[in-house]
Each structure stands twice: as structure tokens, then as C-alpha cells.
Amino acid sequence: MSAHFAGPRRVVVTGMAGLCPLGSDWKSVSAALREGRSGVERLPELAEVTGMRTQLAARVRDFAVPAHYDRKRTRSMGRVALLAARATELALLDAGLLGDAALGDGSTGISYGSTTGSPPAVESWARKFMLERTLSGIRPNDYVQHMSHTVAANLAQFFGVRGRVQATCTACTSGSQGIGYAAETIRYGMQEVMIAGGAEEFHPIDAAVFDVLYATSARNDEPTRTPRPFDRERDGLVVGEGAATLVLESEERARTRGARIHAEIVGFATNCDGKHITNPDAEGMQRVMELALRDADLPASAIGYVNAHATATEAGDIAESFATAAALGGRTPISSLKGALAHTLGACGALEAWLMIEMQREGWFAPTLNLERIDPRCAELDYIAGAPRVLACEYAMTNNFAFGGVNTSLIFQRWDGA
């Protein structure tokens, strides 16, 4: 802990960027959200997997490894780490910290997550070692590409970061835990700057994981009509990919260097249901929202918008809706971005935080795409559907829930220079 630490500090967002199925900059993503466009597409190659119901996915279509990324720095990176590196580079540029000495002086750390490492590297090991019983053809960097902390470790090497590295690997809460833990690290004086976020690359195995649980959408002939969070006609989730990075700083440091501040993180909580490894639990979800409110020292009535996790699974949507109603009441506007982005797994918490902050700054919030008829089994909430909602919102909450009963809740305050 810093010798100068004198108490909890305010934590602000000074840089943010991401890559997702709707685009790789806010201008592109904003236009897509306003126009009601979907990032979901049909992938015929998924039909080649015997027994696979779904043929749908949402990929980052316009991504290419930048020409200035030399092989020495990228040979240990799979696609998941490359997506994270590009999102982080753009976020650091946005923060005015790309190439800054602070990245290498120990005052900057990393808190970043993904569900797993890069699946193709896992395939290489499994095929050669397990099936062919040989080491021939296994590349030295295959393990580094698929190790669970590959994203955080590669970002540290790529940007020369010498502070602490925290790798979050909690499935769908990886990105939101990455941001929350980064905020706590700054709040309590462990670091001055944190690179935080989450990433995921699409691979057929990701779709297969949910397919064997009968949790995927099989609307293969109408990909843009699914997933359908909170909708009575939903039939499951769609797996996606992407990456998003927030650059966090202590408010004092940001002000001192004259940084542009996007928002302030005022509340964070994470907990575990402790009941079931895969089934959602409304009580645990409710509790994590209440803990985040307590952390922010806010009443439930202060929250002006909720970004729901809402993946378009029956059990998850229903449990989350009742948890939200119990924690916040039924009047807070709520929507899910997964109707447009699909479920980007380890990236979703970071992508949704980034996009929510952008909308909060501009005073509008996207509707849940494909929400046409609310499932009557869901709680009565103010669901944003059909068109964007113009809304002045000082405090916005974003929630994520993962296998293992892991829950997160983040609260951001719109920055007004106070």
C-alpha cells in the first residue's frame, strides 16, 4: 500500500474503448444501437458439429491485427489477447496515457479477465498430446495462449506494465470483476492507474457448452431476431465475442494531469449464491445489487437506469427481473444489450460498462433488441423496448451473473466535474 494513502479515494474513468459485433468505436456502435441493428449471424460451419442445435454467433467482423503489432510482442497471443490488446491500446490513447512513463514505473496495474484462454491453442495441445500422443507440432507458445491468465499477462508484456496483475476468470463476470477489483485497488491506494476489462474470442466450443445445456437459440433461419431477452418467445442465448477496456485513475491524479473524465465508479459489489453451480438465484442477485448500493452510499431510488445481464434464458431472465424489482423497485428503466451484441461471455461485463457510460454521457439508453412481448412470468419493470429512451441519468447500474453463482454489480456516476 502506498505510504501516502490516507483513506478511500475516488476512482474515475479516463479512457475507454472496445471491439464488439456492432463495431469497434462508439460512433459505429451508437449508430447500430439507435437503428436497432443486430450483430448476430448464421455460421453454417456450426452445423458440421453432430448434435449442435444452434448455428448462430456474433463475431467482431472488422478486426485485423494492426500492422505495427510486431511478431515478438504477439507470438504469445491468441485472438482473445489480441482483441484485448487493441481495445486497451485505444483506451490508453483515449486517456492520453499510451506510451506514458506511468505504465512502466510500477504505479499502473492490470485487472483483466476472460472465460478461458484461446481455444485453438487448447485444441492444438489436445489433438497432439491426447489423441496423437506426440509433442511434435505443439508450439512453445500454445500454452501461453491458452493459460487462464493469458489476457492479463500478455497485456502487461505488450504495454510494459510493471504494477500488479489481477486476472479474473469467472465466466460471465470476468469483465465486471476486472473493473470492480481495479477500482478497489485504486480506492485503497495500491495503484494510481489500472487497466481493466474483459475479452472473449468466439469458438464453436463456446456455443457447444451452452448447447448441451439446451440454453442456446435455434432460430437459425432468422439470426437477427434472436436472442430475445425478457421476451415470451425467447428460445435461448447466442454466443458472441469482443473486448473492452476502461482506464481507471484516482480522481486526484486525473485532475492533476488535466485528464478528461468520463465517469466515476461509486459502487461495486460481488458475491456468490452458494446454492447451485449453474442455476440462477434471485436472492443472490438481489443481494449483490443491495451491496453495491451500500458501497455507493445510495438509496435504491437514486439509480436512473439498469443495464441487465439478461441473456435470454428462461430461468435467468425471470430470476434477474424479480431480483431487480426486489432491490430497486419496478420503476427504474432497464434494458439488456445482449439482444444486439449476443452474450460475449468474459467480455460482456466490460463491454456493457463501456457502452452504458457512453449512453449515460449522451442522455439516452438503447432498448432491448427483439423484446416485443414481455414474458408475463417476469417481474413488472420499466423495460425499455422498441426505441431508445431519452433519459438524464446521474447514477446507472450494470449487473452480471455467472456460472458458479458469481454475481457482480457496478454503479457509475455521470461526471459533471464536481
Side-chain angles (χ1 to χ4, degrees):
M1 186 176 293
S2 170
H4 302 292
F5 177 66
R9 302 184 298 180
R10 295 173 69 179
V11 181
V12 296
V13 181
T14 57
M16 51 188 186
L19 302 87
C20 73
L22 293 181
S24 298
D25 58 75
W26 171 236
K27 181 179 179 180
S28 300
V29 178
S30 173
L33 290 174
R34 287 182 180 276
E35 294 166 14
R37 285 189 265 130
S38 168
V40 177
E41 60 184 333
R42 184 173 185 172
L43 300 183
E45 57 264 37
L46 292 182
E48 299 172 5
V49 181
T50 301
M52 183 89 84
R53 295 171 59 253
T54 190
Q55 296 174 32
L56 305 171
R59 300 179 294 180
V60 179
R61 302 170 189 172
D62 59 350
F63 178 70
V65 179
H68 62 281
Y69 284 20
D70 59 88
R71 183 179 179 278
K72 182 178 180 180
R73 293 193 299 166
T74 60
R75 61 190 176 190
S76 60
M77 292 183 174
R79 181 175 171 87
V80 64
L82 287 166
L83 289 168
R86 182 57 176 161
T88 299
E89 181 179 42
L90 293 172
L92 287 170
L93 185 65
D94 182 51
L97 291 176
L98 186 62
D100 194 278
L103 297 180
D105 67 6
S107 65
T108 299
I110 293 174
S111 181
Y112 219 100
S114 62
T115 298
T116 63
S118 186
V122 179
E123 273 193 296
S124 176
W125 263 97
R127 184 180 302 110
K128 293 293 184 179
F129 188 78
M130 300 299 293
L131 299 180
E132 300 177 16
R133 304 302 292 172
T134 180
L135 296 183
S136 177
I138 297 178
R139 300 168 300 174
N141 280 308
D142 279 347
Y143 169 70
V144 180
Q145 290 185 12
H146 76 69
M147 63 187 186
S148 59
H149 65 304
T150 186
V151 175
N154 271 294
L155 289 180
Q157 304 306 312
F158 193 87
F159 295 102
V161 174
R162 303 183 70 182
R164 62 170 53 194
V165 171
Q166 302 168 173
T168 52
C169 187
T170 53
C172 316
T173 53
S174 298
S176 48
Q177 278 196 338
I179 294 169
Y181 291 153
E184 290 181 337
T185 299
I186 294 173
R187 179 187 290 183
Y188 297 110
M190 310 295 184
Q191 303 276 198
E192 291 293 325
V193 181
M194 289 293 289
I195 294 168
E200 197 77 38
E201 71 174 280
F202 175 78
H203 187 275
I205 197 172
D206 296 316
V209 166
F210 293 97
D211 210 75
V212 298
L213 293 170
Y214 300 98
T216 54
S217 174
R219 288 176 177 259
N220 299 320
D221 294 328
E222 45 182 1
T224 62
R225 297 273 293 156
T226 192
R228 308 175 69 84
F230 299 123
D231 191 88
R232 66 188 302 171
E233 302 298 328
R234 67 186 175 283
D235 72 328
L237 60 80
V238 175
V239 174
E241 70 173 357
T245 300
L246 302 188
V247 177
L248 310 184
E249 295 184 57
S250 64
E251 185 233 2
E252 180 182 8
R253 185 185 192 281
R255 282 186 181 275
T256 297
R257 73 179 186 89
R260 179 182 57 171
I261 295 173
H262 298 301
E264 179 178 0
I265 298 181
V266 295
F268 167 65
T270 184
N271 70 354
C272 184
D273 300 337
K275 291 184 177 181
H276 196 279
I277 201 72
T278 56
N279 288 347
D281 175 64
E283 182 181 357
M285 295 174 175
Q286 174 187 344
R287 180 61 175 159
V288 81
M289 295 180 220
E290 293 170 344
L291 288 171
L293 287 168
R294 188 172 75 180
D295 186 52
D297 194 23
L298 291 173
S301 59
I303 303 301
Y305 168 79
V306 177
N307 176 80
H309 185 65
T311 64
T313 61
E314 181 178 302
D317 286 4
I318 293 172
E320 181 176 0
S321 70
F322 278 94
T324 305
L328 303 178
R331 297 182 178 179
T332 307
I334 184 172
S335 64
S336 169
L337 290 170
K338 290 184 178 69
L341 300 179
H343 191 356
T344 56
L345 306 179
C348 73
L351 279 170
E352 291 162 8
W354 165 47
L355 298 178
M356 187 183 76
I357 293 170
E358 295 280 19
M359 291 186 289
Q360 183 181 21
R361 291 171 58 206
E362 293 186 359
W364 67 277
F365 292 92
T368 300
L369 188 63
N370 297 320
L371 176 54
E372 296 172 351
R373 293 191 297 171
I374 298 166
D375 186 341
R377 294 171 297 172
C378 288
E380 292 188 10
L381 297 171
D382 184 6
Y383 298 97
I384 303 176
R389 177 88 59 89
V390 175
L391 189 64
C393 173
E394 183 174 5
Y395 296 101
M397 172 186 284
T398 180
N399 301 317
N400 295 106
F401 313 108
F403 281 176
V406 183
N407 308 310
T408 59
S409 183
L410 285 160
I411 300 173
F412 292 89
Q413 182 176 14
R414 185 182 64 236
W415 186 258
D416 59 8

